[in-house]
């Protein structure tokens, strides 16, 4: 399916669309574009609002049919009275486009009269692209006669296209990056292998002329990445440490390092997971997918900044060669680790990827990982857990998430919890028991960060993937943390 997205300020775009959508809150005025549409339709919109058939509540959708002239059909989409307008407009865009697809409309013209800020428009455009996204590669197509018309055209209608152009372009770039991340997360583990993640990185590199380095088992052995390799010990697939460099900033500027956990399937290893729901562990590479999606968007935006994207990819499998609980391994930076649970594999991989990141002397490191079930218990599915060794940078990342319509919430990274990961036989152990499981995981990662490097860890276990339908998005991957990464990097670009 090819879906084009275009920007318009001619009212004719919305007046003549087969399907027009307006995003409105309880008090949003229709504005000139909305009023023109309403007039062309003989006043049905104003009447629906006056009669309270449509109140503008969150996720409320009223479907009207057109009149003699004007758009053939109209959707009024409610945004409610949100605390976060960026979140609300992303959601409204996604919901409208998802409905458009369900209705079999070939084209949707969307207008949000309440938008005043670039970030809102950008999020709305990315939302429009996110709503109809699907992973249909592995399904036999529905017979032509039973198929609805595919949604082929998204038209974003604004008051002044010249003024809106930059935000619109950014929204499209973000939408493309998020689509890459979602496709990778949705792909089954037998297709989205470590090799496939490496190939995707190479494809992004080729598209934007960026150097990509791929290290396999042999190279990781030479580097002494015993922690990463301990996870990959039970799988015949070659693990991959992948680096994409985007160095378009000043030569003297130290790069931002974006790091992602790329476990293409997490069975738990010898500490095997229970069978129910294990299939979702194909998504355990969402952090890595986020890095790749962000690199795509950053390159499309041609930001003047230096960024290094790093990911550690493998599967976590039980086998005769797999690592056992009680085994001790040595990480690249030299710290020894007692593995008390082979299912706490993400931190073992990241230990060495973070160690490897040192060589780029990053100004800041942000990692994203579907790291702990405990984070899902703490924050559920609506906030990413955020940890950091530098409060200012932590707040900078959380603020970037807000601008990108991705919510994160801080959790403590206090030394008080450190005792939980001290080992009797090694420098550290890889689990700290049930209490504060996401905190002890983050403390483990901190051991592999140079003390003077600001670092933020994002636990996206609850936010990267949804097992239930999210109204605006179908169940499956959300695209998180691409928006957070991109907005952070953009905030630091010159
Ligand atoms: N990939 C999982 C974390 C996870 C669990 C994400 C559920 C989403 C939903 C991770 O590798 C893991 O297994 N973590 C363990 C750690 C424990 C053994 C200390 C967990 O959370 O149970
Ligand atoms: Mn695990
Ligand atoms: Zn995992």
């Amino acid at each position: 399916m090819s879906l084009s997205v275009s920007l318009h300020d001619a009212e004719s775009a919305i007046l003549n669309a087969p399907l027009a959508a307006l995003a409105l809150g309880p008090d949003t005025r229709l504005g000139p574009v909305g009023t023109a549409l309403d007039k062309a339709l003989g006043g049905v919109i104003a009447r629906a609002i006056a009669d309270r058939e449509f109140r503008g509540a969150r996720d409320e959708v009223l479907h009207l049919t057109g009149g003699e002239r004007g758009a053939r059909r109209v959707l009024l989409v409610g945004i409610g009275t949100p605390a976060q307008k960026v979140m609300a407009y992303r959601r409204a865009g996604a919901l409208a486009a998802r409905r458009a697809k369900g209705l079999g409309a070939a084209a949707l013209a969307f207008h949000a009269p309440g938008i005043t800020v670039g970030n809102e428009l950008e999020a709305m455009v990315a939302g429009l692209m996110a709503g109809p996204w699907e992973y249909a590669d592995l399904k036999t197509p529905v017979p032509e006669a039973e198929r609805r018309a595919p949604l082929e055209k998204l038209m974003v209608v604004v008051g002044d296209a010249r003024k809106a152009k930059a935000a619109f372009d950014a929204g499209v770039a973000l939408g493309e990056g998020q689509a890459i991340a979602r496709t990778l997360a949705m792909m089954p583990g037998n297709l989205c292998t470590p090799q496939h993640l490496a190939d995707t990185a190479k494809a992004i590199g080729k598209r934007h002329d960026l150097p990509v380095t791929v290290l396999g088992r042999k190279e990781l052995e030479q580097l002494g990445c015993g922690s990463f390799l301990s996870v990959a010990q039970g799988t015949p697939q070659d693990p991959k440490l992948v680096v994409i460099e985007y160095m378009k900033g000043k030569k003297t500027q130290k790069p931002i390092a974006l790091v992602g956990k790329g476990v293409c399937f997490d069975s738990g290893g010898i500490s095997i997971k229970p069978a129910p729901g294990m299939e979702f562990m194909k998504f355990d590479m969402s952090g890595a997918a986020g890095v790749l999606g962000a690199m795509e968007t950053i390159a499309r935006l041609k930001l003047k900044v230096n960024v290094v994207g790093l990911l550690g990819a493998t599967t976590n499998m039980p086998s005769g060669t797999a690592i056992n609980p009680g085994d001790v391994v040595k990480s690249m930076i030299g710290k020894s680790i007692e593995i008390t649970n082979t299912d706490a594999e993400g931190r073992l991989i990241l230990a060495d990827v973070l160690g490897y990141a040192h060589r780029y002397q990053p100004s800041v490191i942000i990692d994203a990982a579907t790291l702990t079930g405990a984070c899902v218990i703490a924050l559920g599915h609506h906030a990413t857990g955020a940890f950091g060794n530098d409060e200012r940078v932590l707040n900078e990342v959380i603020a970037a998430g807000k601008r990108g319509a991705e919510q994160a919430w801080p959790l403590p990274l206090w030394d008080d919890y450190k005792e939980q990961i001290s080992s009797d036989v090694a420098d550290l152990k890889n689990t700290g028991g049930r209490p504060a499981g996401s905190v002890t995981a983050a403390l483990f990662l901190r051991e592999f960060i140079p003390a003077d490097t600001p670092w933020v860890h994002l636990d996206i276990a609850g936010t990267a993937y949804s097992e239930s339908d999210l109204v605006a998005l179908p169940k499956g991957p959300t695209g998180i943390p691409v928006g957070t990464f991109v907005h952070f990097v953009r905030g630091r670009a010159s």
Side-chain angles (χ1 to χ4, degrees), residues 60-81:
E60 184 183 0
V61 179
L62 181 68
H63 185 187
L64 302 165
T65 48
E68 273 172 45
R69 297 181 302 117
R72 286 203 289 284
R73 292 189 282 178
V74 178
L75 292 177
L76 302 183
V77 183
I79 59 162
T81 42

Side-chain angles (χ1 to χ4, degrees), residues 293-307:
M295 296 308 286
E296 171 71 22
T297 300
I298 290 162
R300 278 173 180 261
L301 291 173
K302 299 192 166 60
L303 299 179
K304 291 196 169 55
V305 66
N306 296 329
V307 187

Side-chain angles (χ1 to χ4, degrees), residues 261 263 266 268 271 273 280-281 283-284 316 341-347 369-376 430-434 437 440-441 459-462 467:
K261 168 180 172 182
V263 176
D266 180 12
S271 313
K273 288 182 182 294
F280 292 115
M281 284 302 134
F283 96 123
D284 210 18
N316 183 22
N341 188 322
T342 66
D343 198 10
E345 85 295 343
R347 66 198 75 179
T370 47
L371 205 62
T372 65
C375 189
V376 188
N430 78 328
T431 58
R434 279 167 63 82
T440 51
D459 194 330
I460 56 170
E467 293 175 24

Side-chain angles (χ1 to χ4, degrees), residues 85-96:
K85 282 176 79 187
V86 171
M87 293 288 295
Y89 282 116
R90 176 180 171 85
R91 194 174 174 88
L95 183 55

Side-chain angles (χ1 to χ4, degrees), residues 3-62:
L3 183 60
S4 76
V5 201
S6 51
L7 182 65
H8 306 261
D9 58 9
E11 278 164 11
S12 59
I14 200 155
L15 296 184
N16 298 322
L19 180 67
L22 287 182
L24 302 167
D27 306 312
T28 315
R29 301 269 183 104
L30 286 180
V33 176
T35 305
L37 178 64
D38 184 44
K39 263 209 184 127
L41 296 170
V44 285
I45 297 175
R47 200 172 90 182
I49 294 169
D51 293 351
R52 317 253 318 135
E53 283 167 6
F54 177 80
R55 296 174 306 135
R58 176 181 146 111
D59 294 345
E60 184 183 0
V61 179
L62 181 68

